Amino acid sequence: ACDLMNQGILALVSSIGCTSAGSLQSLADAMHIPHLFIQRSPAGTPRSGCGLTRSNRNDDYTLSVRPPVYLNDVILRVVTEYAWQKFIIFYDNDYDIRGIQEFLDKVSQQGMDVALQKVENNINKMITGLFASMRIEELNRYRDTLRRAILIMNPSTAKSFLTEVVETNLVAFDCHWIIINEEISDVDVQELVRRSIGRLTIIRQTFPVPQNISQRCFRGNHRISSSLCDPKDPFSQSMEISNLYIYDTVLLLANAFHKKLEDRKWHSMASLTCIRKNSKPWQGGRSMLETIKKGGVNGLTGELEFAENGGNPNVHFEILGTNYGEDLGRGIRKLGCWNPVTGLNGSLTDRKLENNMRGVVLRVVTVLEEPFVMVSENVLGKPKKYQGFSIDVLEALATYLGFKYEIYVAPDHKYGSPQEDGSWNGLIGELVFKRADIGISALTITPDRENVVDFTTRYMDYSVGVLLRKAEKTVDMFACLAPFDLSLWACIAGTVLLVGLLVYLLNWLNPPRLQMGSMTSTTLYNSMWFVYGSFVQQGGEVPYTTLATRLMMGAWWLFALIVISSYTANLAAFLTITRIENSIQSLQDLSRQTDIPYGTVLDSAVYEHVRVKGMNPFERDSMYSQMWRMINRSNGSENNVLESTAGIQKVKHGNYAFVWDAAVLEYVAINDAECSFYTVGNTVADRGYGIALQHGSPYRDVFSQRILELQQNGDMDVLKHKWWPKNGQCDLYSSVDTKQKGGALDIKSFAGVFCILAAGIVLSCFIAMLETWWNKRKGSRVPSKEDDKEIDLEHLHRRVNSLCTDDDSPHKQFSTSSIDLTPLDIDTLPTRQALEQISDFRNTHITTTTFIPEQIQTLSRTLSAKAASGFSFGSMPEHRTGPFRHRAPNGGFFRSPIKTMSSIPYQPTPTLGLNIGSDPDRGTSI
């Protein structure tokens, strides 16, 4: 600069960095030489403010040709428009980070979370170092940070950086990056768009181009070369902005000098020696400076003019942007523009997807789990078709949003769990490694999973349930005895025997009056038979007239009425409803018992849930610790399974309980062909099923919003009822097989009754055969003469008369047990005729039946008038003695205790005619 001043100059034009600009400013101010400063940044890096001191004194001779650095204002407005709250700023080595200090202060005041990272020259080495130094959790958080980023670097560095982060899967199609630099050409823009994915916004400085093509190369009386004025010319595209400002600065000085010459106010060029101490400044410097400041030019950079402070106020920024997408080389369009006067012109609001997902094809990863995801059609050579509750939800979203999807099953058929090296397998691993866009199945939302992927809002509540096999309903042939316990039946049987014995004893102590013609007697056998008959409501044949006996029977009949009524009522209930109840009705019951082993799918969300709660020393409920001890037997290999289908089959064929998602277990229990399952579980839902997406996916919010709409308008309930009907063919909560509707009773319910009847028939037939055999055996033995004993009927006459009174008063009652009344048989008579009942003794319980042989023509029997009231045979003038023997009641014979012969007198009765038969077995019994 000193050398140029020695040669003689009118003005000094510099295109340098901020470091040398201060020195030139001091020199120009001292020598009063107009200094037009054009700031240049190294290698196309964005500019930072030089911080040149400005004063209102007349000794300020430096003019800034390039406009001030407005990057702080532009970035702040764009970030505010996009509503970013968290992002990272990348800058290269050549950029002075102090240039955005004002921006950092403002976003900090607004509560934004901003991170800074310097991009090294060796970008590949930097990215490799990130993977080597970060754990999987830190790397996932870093990926989340990269969703929103601002790049302040030269175009070549930005291209290399974009290439590396895309190839290493640090960013996905849901990211949104902003690249800001004044010097970005159209070629750079196309290259940046081609190398990026997701959404890209580019901010660069632009210059107005005249609409009239013929006027583009003419600036007043100055003609510009076509290689410079044509924006499509390759040379002009490669021109740096600082060079364009140099061109316009020279043009501006030429116009100022021309004006000076026209005004005849030209000053000689300064020939100064700046090295000398006593060197005087140029006298015409102030006049030349004012002429330059007042002048202006319309050049390649548009209007070039200066404000009072010596700066160029004319600057325009162009904002370009792309849409979300994975396709490389997407088109870019102008979103808006910004200038210091009017601010932002255009809308940069982050456009929501809403229904504008048409043409988007999502790759969906899933795990087969009934009824959420099932294969509906598997034709060789064609893609598999899927169905299920989760597929219905996905189809509802696709119909509303307009996207298409491709489904594939996770290679290892697992939901996903963290591995030792920090990576994930299964469905979650497919999303973490960007091989799938969304994951859907019976996938629960857990904190560990949400650290590595994003979830929509829950579309169905989740709870842990237990699948158990229903108790087998055994055939009870004696269901008719079920209403009463065995001890109660024993008490009833003992009561029948006891009451029968008491009735017999009461009648023995106080004999009842027997009516004339009564065929029964109050023996112990008859008393027992009467009590049993009254208990089964069949009545009895023994009339009891004493007050004590009647009180006893009244109480017994009331007892029998209550017992029979209770039995009838309970029998109806027992034959229609099975009251077998399983002891496990909740998770608490399951944890307390050890007879039935239980487990879940190894390394699943349920397994981790029980493990975390079971090993937590601060967990108040001991249920989980008890469950964990059972599930973790033999390190989990004893009771756990690898897939849910294996657990269901294990329940079906063995003594086992399967702990799994309640919704899955309910579907299995409802649709089981044999209805052999039932479920128990928690009623409180602590988690939910959600759709998993890649971390930072732009589809999360719109998916969640649509799911809420489906729940609000009832469509989600319709989908649920499709797979979990309220009126299913099986009962979910009954631990045994029960009839849901009333129906006819089957033979099994009454098998015991028929068995009892059959047993009675067989027993009676056996006793009848035994009696027949016994009678034939005794009948074959002919008794000898010495075995037959004769009795004197006169002795019987005297014994009966002694029990009767001779007066007309009522006769003395006597017990039948005091008279030995046995059948009398006549051995010598050969024929038999039908028996004939003669008459009843009045006012007694004695009935006389006579068996009269046909050969006895002269035999007659007379009952006197007194016999009608006093039971007296009277005088019997004729006596006939016959050989009689005693016959036992069962037809057998026994010796008579009477050792002497006696004669019984018979008196013919005129009114009584007897038909005598010839049966030798005929006899007389009283």
Side-chain angles (χ1 to χ4, degrees), residues 31-33 61 267-270 272 280-288:
M31 295 293 104
H32 293 187
I33 300 296
Y61 283 84
H267 300 279
S268 62
M269 292 187 295
L272 305 175
K280 295 183 180 180
W282 184 33
Q283 297 298 325
R286 173 57 54 185
S287 174
M288 183 60 71

Side-chain angles (χ1 to χ4, degrees), residues 757-894:
L757 177 61
I761 294 175
V762 172
L763 183 61
S764 61
C765 292
F766 175 74
I767 294 176
M769 294 172 61
L770 185 63
E771 285 181 345
T772 304
W773 172 79
W774 179 261
N775 291 335
K776 288 184 179 181
R777 183 175 179 276
K778 289 298 182 180
S780 61
R781 296 176 54 191
V782 179
S784 61
K785 293 297 182 180
E786 59 261 22
D787 292 335
D788 294 336
K789 301 299 180 179
E790 296 180 351
I791 61 173
D792 190 355
L793 293 182
E794 185 179 0
H795 176 72
L796 179 61
H797 164 70
R798 288 195 303 271
R799 188 174 180 182
V800 172
N801 286 340
S802 67
L803 299 176
C804 303
T805 59
D806 294 336
D807 53 5
D808 295 336
S809 62
H811 71 282
K812 177 182 178 182
Q813 295 184 357
F814 57 90
S815 175
T816 58
S817 62
S818 63
I819 306 176
D820 187 9
L821 301 178
T822 59
L824 301 179
D825 195 7
I826 302 177
D827 295 332
T828 58
L829 299 180
T831 62
R832 178 192 302 263
Q833 276 191 349
L835 61 87
E836 181 178 350
Q837 180 173 336
I838 304 302
S839 63
D840 295 334
F841 292 95
R842 302 295 177 88
N843 299 325
T844 67
H845 294 285
I846 301 176
T847 302
T848 303
T849 305
T850 306
F851 301 87
I852 305 177
E854 189 175 302
Q855 289 84 351
I856 304 179
Q857 300 292 338
T858 60
L859 183 60
S860 64
R861 192 172 299 172
T862 305
L863 296 176
S864 62
K866 188 176 180 180
S869 61
F871 192 86
S872 175
F873 285 101
S875 61
M876 296 185 182
E878 298 181 3
H879 296 80
R880 178 179 176 84
T881 303
F884 296 89
R885 65 177 177 174
H886 294 275
R887 174 176 292 179
N890 60 355
F893 300 94
F894 58 89

Side-chain angles (χ1 to χ4, degrees), residues 571-766:
L571 179 63
F574 268 83
L575 292 180
T576 54
I577 300 177
T578 304
R579 290 188 177 180
I580 304 175
E581 294 293 340
N582 195 293
S583 59
I584 300 177
Q585 297 297 326
S586 64
L587 286 177
Q588 287 77 8
D589 297 338
L590 181 70
S591 63
R592 296 190 189 105
Q593 60 84 41
T594 56
D595 297 333
I596 302 177
Y598 52 90
T600 183
V601 176
L602 197 64
D603 295 332
S604 63
V606 178
Y607 182 87
E608 290 297 323
H609 177 70
V610 177
R611 183 186 66 82
V612 171
K613 285 188 170 289
M615 299 179 65
N616 185 7
F618 301 102
E619 181 67 34
R620 296 182 179 180
D621 194 353
S622 62
M623 175 188 71
Y624 290 101
S625 61
Q626 296 171 351
M627 291 180 65
W628 175 242
R629 284 194 292 268
M630 173 66 75
I631 291 176
N632 197 39
R633 283 185 179 179
S634 303
N635 293 326
S637 61
E638 180 178 347
N639 295 326
N640 296 310
V641 294
L642 298 179
E643 294 182 357
S644 59
T645 54
I648 295 171
Q649 292 300 321
K650 196 172 181 180
V651 174
K652 194 178 187 73
H653 299 101
N655 185 36
Y656 183 75
F658 184 49
V659 182
W660 196 235
D661 297 358
V664 177
L665 300 181
E666 288 178 2
Y667 175 81
V668 172
I670 289 175
N671 295 275
D672 183 51
E674 301 175 358
C675 292
S676 58
F677 299 123
Y678 78 99
T679 62
V680 297
N682 290 333
T683 57
V684 179
D686 54 351
R687 284 180 288 173
Y689 298 98
I691 300 176
L693 304 97
Q694 291 182 7
H695 212 71
S697 174
Y699 307 130
R700 177 184 61 181
D701 295 338
V702 66
F703 277 20
S704 298
Q705 181 181 0
R706 180 55 184 164
I707 289 173
L708 294 175
E709 293 176 0
L710 291 174
Q711 293 173 345
Q712 185 175 4
N713 57 28
D715 293 341
M716 194 68 72
D717 294 332
V718 174
L719 297 179
K720 290 179 182 179
H721 294 162
K722 175 183 176 181
W723 299 101
W724 291 276
K726 292 184 178 180
N727 299 323
Q729 61 179 358
C730 300
D731 189 357
L732 287 177
Y733 310 107
S734 175
S735 58
V736 294
D737 295 332
T738 57
K739 296 179 180 179
Q740 296 187 0
K741 296 182 180 180
L745 298 176
D746 52 8
I747 187 63
K748 297 178 182 178
S749 303
F750 281 93
V753 179
F754 287 100
C755 290
I756 294 175
L757 177 61
I761 294 175
V762 172
L763 183 61
S764 61
C765 292
F766 175 74

Side-chain angles (χ1 to χ4, degrees), residues 270-284:
S271 180
L272 305 175
T273 304
C274 59
I275 297 177
R276 286 193 233 175
K277 244 184 187 177
N278 55 359
S279 177
K280 295 183 180 180
W282 184 33
Q283 297 298 325

Side-chain angles (χ1 to χ4, degrees), residues 369-396:
E369 186 76 74
E370 294 182 350
F372 290 87
V373 179
M374 300 175 289
V375 178
S376 62
E377 183 178 338
N378 188 6
V379 180
L380 185 62
K382 295 183 179 180
K384 293 181 180 179
K385 293 184 178 180
Y386 297 88
Q387 65 177 1
F389 175 64
S390 296
I391 300 299
D392 290 345
V393 174
L394 181 63
E395 186 63 29

